Amino acid sequence: MADQTATPLTDEEREELEALRAEKARRAEEERARVERVELEALRAEQERVDAEILAERAAEERAARKAPAAKDALSRPEPQPTPSPKEKTFGERMVTSSTVDDDGIPTMPVAQKIIIAVALVAVVAFIIYTATR
């Protein structure tokens, strides 16, 4: 066994080895070409499907555009929004809006916001004191 691996190949063995390598390379090239053809066919089918979807969407948009002028006139007139009276404000609106206006014409800050800011400042001061004394 040992002398077969240590001895160099004869000319016949070398030719046989080269022929087998060439056959293997040819088969690998054929397989690669077959795989590429299958991939190309799959990509073409997918592209055709996408093109068909795009054409269908465009046709639907054109049909909608033809019907749209009549519907557009009806939609172009905005419906009047009911204006809520100050008595009908929700809890959230009362928390963030104020009924009084200062000299600049800007609404003043609601009392709830002032209370929230005061509580936040007290919490910050308490945290500072806590970290300073630890």
Side-chain angles (χ1 to χ4, degrees), residues 28-42:
E29 182 63 28
E30 286 176 357
E31 179 64 20
R32 187 182 63 77
R34 186 190 65 77
V35 168
E36 286 178 350
R37 276 194 298 275
V38 169
E39 182 181 6
L40 178 63
E41 290 172 6

Side-chain angles (χ1 to χ4, degrees), residues 13-96:
E13 290 174 332
R14 195 174 316 275
E15 288 175 21
E16 181 183 1
L17 178 62
E18 292 299 321
L20 290 173
R21 284 182 180 165
E23 178 65 22
K24 182 179 177 183
R26 186 188 60 77
R27 287 181 186 169
E29 182 63 28
E30 286 176 357
E31 179 64 20
R32 187 182 63 77
R34 186 190 65 77
V35 168
E36 286 178 350
R37 276 194 298 275
V38 169
E39 182 181 6
L40 178 63
E41 290 172 6
L43 290 173
R44 283 180 179 164
E46 182 180 349
Q47 185 64 39
E48 287 176 7
R49 183 183 53 81
V50 169
D51 290 344
E53 288 176 3
I54 290 172
L55 289 175
E57 288 175 3
R58 286 182 183 165
E61 288 174 0
E62 288 176 5
R63 284 191 299 267
R66 288 186 205 131
K67 294 178 182 177
K72 187 177 179 182
D73 293 337
L75 292 176
S76 65
R77 286 178 262 133
E79 295 181 15
Q81 296 290 333
T83 55
S85 65
K87 294 178 185 176
E88 296 177 10
K89 285 186 179 180
T90 64
F91 176 76
E93 290 173 335
R94 288 193 310 263
M95 289 293 120
V96 297

